[in-house]
Amino acid sequence: MFERERTRHRFTARPATVTTVTDVGDYVRVTLSGDTFADFASTGPTDHMRVYFPNPVTGELVAPVADGDDGITRPAAQTFGRDFTPLNVRDTGTTRSVDIDILRHADAGPAAQWGARVAVGDELVVVGPRGSASAPQDAERALLVVDGTALPAASRFVELLPESTDIDVLVYGDVTEDAARAYLGDARRYTVTEAQLELTDEARDLAPDAGTFVFAAGEASALLPLRRYLRRELGLGPAQAAVSGYWRTGVVAWDHHAPIDPFDPED
Ligand SMILES: Cc1cc2nc3c(=O)[nH]c(=O)nc-3n(C[C@H](O)[C@H](O)[C@H](O)COP(=O)(O)OP(=O)(O)OC[C@H]3O[C@@H](n4cnc5c(N)ncnc54)[C@H](O)[C@@H]3O)c2cc1C
């Protein structure tokens, strides 16, 4: 149960030009495209790509370059790469485009600073996604626990889970119930709960059971007790409960491969 079909994509570095900039709630939505996007693909809800931003001081864009058809060469100089969720991949005639939603946040780093000033014609480099893992097709229920950085991934679950899966969304951090509903839209039914308590107590109230797939992502420290509850108390393994730190308070360019729980680094 909860199997997710894996697809590998060509792994390359794609120079990207901004073609559209739109305000979407707490995000700036940036549409990216370029000649090498013709085979850009993203079919999984937890897909992510590394987006390389200009040096926030000098404005210089230093980024990996494509190495042949499949592979990249990383520069020796410092880069400013951050992870984002690909959204709305579209054919544009000769190539494709993809959106990223950049959350506005205080203490803005290179990504959020760039997002605050972005204009059509600006340039970035996109690496990935390396592959996609489909949404599970056999879950009776899905519980999506997300803050603002993972609401884009939640929107992809809402789009990609089958109609037969009941979806409960639990939002935490600065996300309100109204903002989550506005962002996720009304194309299908789901419930939204805005966390008022500690996340574990909120999740306990939503009672995930043997048929529930759980995706939890966002600020990493807040997810630690929730992860312990899912893993140790409920005994849910990573195939049933995917828990991922998308950023960490006080840490610049948090590496989401770092364990949320240093005493249980199974991720
Ligand atoms: C798989 C994956 C997918 C992601 N998808 C998205 C996405 O679609 N949209 C999106 O907006 N973000 C997404 N993120 C999170 C994003 O990569 C981080 O928030 C990133 O740190 C932002 O870069 P920055 O340059 O603005 O800040 P950084 O330079 O990394 O950090 C500067 C400071 O800001 C703090 N900070 C970072 N993010 C936040 C925040 N959200 N709120 C408050 N303080 C913050 C840091 O703790 C640090 O103190 C994703 C992360 C992962 C791992």
Side-chain angles (χ1 to χ4, degrees), residues 82-83 85 101 103 105 107 109-112 149 246-248 250-251 253:
R82 300 290 185 270
D83 291 309
T85 301
D101 283 357
L103 185 69
H105 67 89
D107 195 16
T149 60
Y246 273 17
W247 64 285
R248 188 175 200 122
V251 179

Side-chain angles (χ1 to χ4, degrees), residues 45-242:
T46 49
D47 289 359
H48 50 276
M49 54 199 200
R50 194 84 170 155
V51 181
Y52 288 83
F53 296 89
N55 180 318
V57 177
T58 66
E60 188 187 1
L61 178 58
V62 181
V65 292
D67 183 358
D69 263 359
D70 201 6
I72 62 169
T73 303
R74 296 175 197 279
Q78 185 183 12
T79 57
F80 296 88
R82 300 290 185 270
D83 291 309
F84 284 86
T85 301
L87 301 166
N88 310 321
V89 178
R90 302 177 200 89
D91 281 320
T92 62
T94 51
T95 186
R96 288 184 180 164
S97 68
V98 59
D99 293 345
I100 52 171
D101 283 357
I102 304 176
L103 185 69
R104 298 182 188 91
H105 67 89
D107 195 16
Q113 284 177 41
W114 181 89
R117 293 190 300 258
V118 60
V120 169
D122 286 354
E123 291 179 347
L124 296 174
V125 170
V126 169
V127 172
R130 280 173 185 261
S132 298
S134 71
Q137 298 300 299
D138 54 359
E140 287 156 28
R141 220 180 131 205
L143 171 59
L144 311 175
V145 184
V146 293
D147 74 2
T149 60
L151 198 55
S155 77
R156 298 218 59 193
F157 273 107
V158 167
E159 167 199 345
L160 295 167
L161 281 164
E163 280 296 328
S164 55
T165 305
D166 292 328
I167 302 178
D168 296 304
V169 184
L170 171 60
V171 289
Y172 75 100
D174 293 335
V175 190
T176 63
E177 185 180 329
D178 287 348
R181 283 186 192 289
Y183 186 85
L184 296 173
D186 54 10
R188 70 174 284 177
R189 282 165 58 85
Y190 52 84
T191 73
V192 182
T193 309
E194 185 181 321
Q196 310 286 348
L197 309 166
E198 203 276 316
L199 270 187
T200 308
D201 296 327
E202 300 279 1
R204 208 183 288 279
D205 284 349
L206 290 163
D209 59 15
T212 308
F213 173 81
V214 184
F215 168 70
E219 203 285 322
S221 325
L223 293 175
L224 194 148
L226 174 70
R227 186 178 177 284
R228 286 188 178 157
Y229 162 68
L230 295 168
R231 289 282 186 276
R232 297 182 190 177
E233 208 174 309
L234 298 184
L236 308 187
Q240 183 171 358

